[in-house]
Amino acid sequence: EKGHLWDMALHLLAQMPLAKLQPNVVTYSAVISACEKAQHWQMALEVLGEMTSRGVTPNYITYSAAISACEMGHVWQWAFKLLEEMRGQGIELGLVTCNALISSCEKGGQLERALGVLEMMRRSGPTPSVVTYNAVLKACGRQLHWAVALQLLGDMAASELEPDSISCHTALAVCEASGCPESPIIAQKLQLLLAEGLASNSAGEGGGQGQEWVSGIDAMAAAGGVDSALG
């Protein structure tokens, strides 16, 4: 199903009726996944359309592959159309699907929509991960919203998610690119917090780190002129 084999997957799908075989949800999902991995989002949606027209009901795996294909194709509008279809069919959203939705927003410069998906996850699940927050942070970079980036770091820490190197470097890049007046101070604090987090992980130390992150992020917010209540 990988890479250049997507055309073979399509060929086999077309040949199945000739062999008196009926494709099922597993078959269609595999073909859509092959199209996604080959970055052929249009073909992925065509296969999804054929699937439904033949009376085969898509499931979570089907939609996840199709939404990921839309993310790869930078077509966030289609990703959200598929989201609405999933909701309409009562299919529960998973972490992979939500992360793909946020990444599609990031690639399309849609920060508000990315934040909307994050808020939806906080309210009804699935629980956001570090990968989730990193994708939203990248969306901040597209629109140079340094205050939102710092807020997201604080939210991560408050949720007991320890920002990783990608989180910190992305937030710093946003601050620098958007002309945040306190970028040098924020950079120092981010580097210190990251170093302390890595050191504690290496030493096998657990709990307690989240509160240290919260305190550190609040200090950065104050240094950058952002209301510390953001976190």
Side-chain angles (χ1 to χ4, degrees), residues 1-16 23 27-36 38 43 47 50:
E1 112 180 0
K2 296 182 180 179
H4 65 281
L5 297 180
W6 70 277
D7 52 349
M8 182 180 295
L10 289 170
H11 175 73
L12 292 174
L13 178 64
Q15 294 298 309
M16 288 185 71
T27 310
Y28 280 111
S29 297
V31 174
I32 291 172
S33 180
C35 293
E36 175 255 318
M43 187 57 66
V47 174
E50 175 189 328

Side-chain angles (χ1 to χ4, degrees), residues 140-198:
C140 291
R142 291 272 183 176
Q143 297 186 1
L144 304 180
H145 281 293
W146 64 271
V148 177
L150 291 184
Q151 175 181 347
L152 289 168
L153 286 182
D155 289 347
M156 290 177 72
S159 301
E160 298 185 350
L161 282 175
E162 200 164 289
D164 61 12
S165 60
I166 295 175
S167 314
C168 293
H169 293 152
T170 302
L172 177 57
V174 174
C175 291
E176 292 177 339
S178 58
C180 173
E182 302 296 337
S183 287
I185 296 175
I186 292 172
Q188 290 178 356
K189 292 183 178 295
L190 279 174
Q191 290 168 358
L192 179 60
L193 288 171
L194 181 59
E196 289 176 348
L198 291 174

Side-chain angles (χ1 to χ4, degrees), residues 215-228:
S215 300
I217 298 295
D218 282 347
M220 284 191 291
V226 182
D227 186 348
S228 62

